[in-house]
Amino acid sequence: MAPYESDDNATAADAEELRSARRRKAARYVMPATVVGIAAATIGLVPALADSGDPDLPKISAQELIEKIAASDVQQLSGTVKITTDLGLPDLGGLESSLGSAAGPSGSGDGSSADPSTKLTELASGTHTLRVAADGENRQKVSLLENAAEYSLIHNGKDVWGYDSKSNSVFHTTASESDGKQKEELPATPKDLAEEALKAADKTTSVTVDGTAQVAGRDAYRLVIKPKDEGSTVGQITVAVDSKTGLPLKFTLTPASGGSAVVDAGFTQVSFAKPAASTFDFTPPKGAKVEEGDAAKAPERSEDFGKGSAPEPGKGGPEGLNVIGDGWDSIATFDTGGQGVPSGSEVGGDVGGFLDSLGDKVSGTFGEGTVFKTRLINALITDDGKVYVGAVTKDALVKAADAAK
């Protein structure tokens, strides 16, 4: 039996390779406090853009296109990218001011604004423009362009630099140079997202080729990945794959609930020429405060540069982490040992209003709890501190909690 529904009957070995790492992703989804950070880790530094035109390309099967993605070995590129993310989070409004007051004045020059783990969470909402460049396994650069400011994350050999021009602050750490074969031209690109999506391709998934598109002036095939399970919040994933290099140029995830894409990411301009060596040079500007990071936490491989790495269950994730189910309906669960989360009325003020806007009170044989929701990831936190989280519906979370009793 084919491992997933497609237009060409792919082999079971293909499916096994594609889904080999799906359980490693479960620990990313901890709600509600880290929902923005989770989205940024999942999305990473994803490039994005709009297609136009339908080029006339030779026919290709889904299996052949998947193999083309796997064989893609682009080492050098540069381009401008665009990413739009709409998780359906409510407007923070006064909450932002409340949190800011509690944390102290922003832009205090403490250097924290240059730390990529903090800065790149901005990609979790809204529309952003990025400039990207890569030259092999040990040189990459991603710049987040803002109003009259720029944030850059640069990997050059053993040095990793983060620079925030707005606060004139610098983050620096070191990384071991890769000594193995490198097949990823840039971390957290549409290729990364496409491969992660394909790892979930099993008998619960439909994978087909749906025509062609033109992305950043390049001809591409459209690979469509659809969960067949009704419990998933994912409607479909569309990947535009460069017809010549096999590099995914665009990644679009639409929710089962309909409406605009949750993630729409891809190149608006791309070149596969070797970037100038000076692209990856960096010297802290005069007067900048330099914060030295923990080298032990720095990415050791270029494919880890700039993106979150989800631990395997029992290896760095929440203690007692367990995964219920498989494929698109999988749910991560663990026990915080706490008393759940307070209600908005208990917290009060803007923070309380924010909690109420995110959560829905639910009950079942498990007792009572709150479901914190986005358009993609939902999480149930029971009043006795147990957490159930995944890209599944509220009803699926309640059912899982009931079954666990």
Side-chain angles (χ1 to χ4, degrees), residues 335-347:
D335 191 344
T336 66
Q339 297 297 317
V341 294
S343 66
S345 59
E346 290 174 310
V347 174

Side-chain angles (χ1 to χ4, degrees), residues 49 78-81 132 216 266-271:
L49 90 196
S78 59
T80 303
V81 301
V132 301
F267 290 89
T268 57
Q269 181 276 327
V270 64
S271 169

Side-chain angles (χ1 to χ4, degrees), residues 12 46 67 105 125 186 190 202 210 281 286 337 352 363 377:
V46 185
E67 291 170 354
S125 63
L186 186 73
D202 55 14
D210 184 20
D281 292 340
K286 184 178 180 179
S363 61
I377 304 300

Side-chain angles (χ1 to χ4, degrees), residues 57 62 115 145 152 196 219 239 290 297 341 358 399:
L57 296 173
D115 188 334
L145 308 182
S152 292
E196 286 300 300
D219 294 345
V239 182
V290 180
K297 296 180 181 180
V341 294
L358 276 180
K399 183 178 179 180

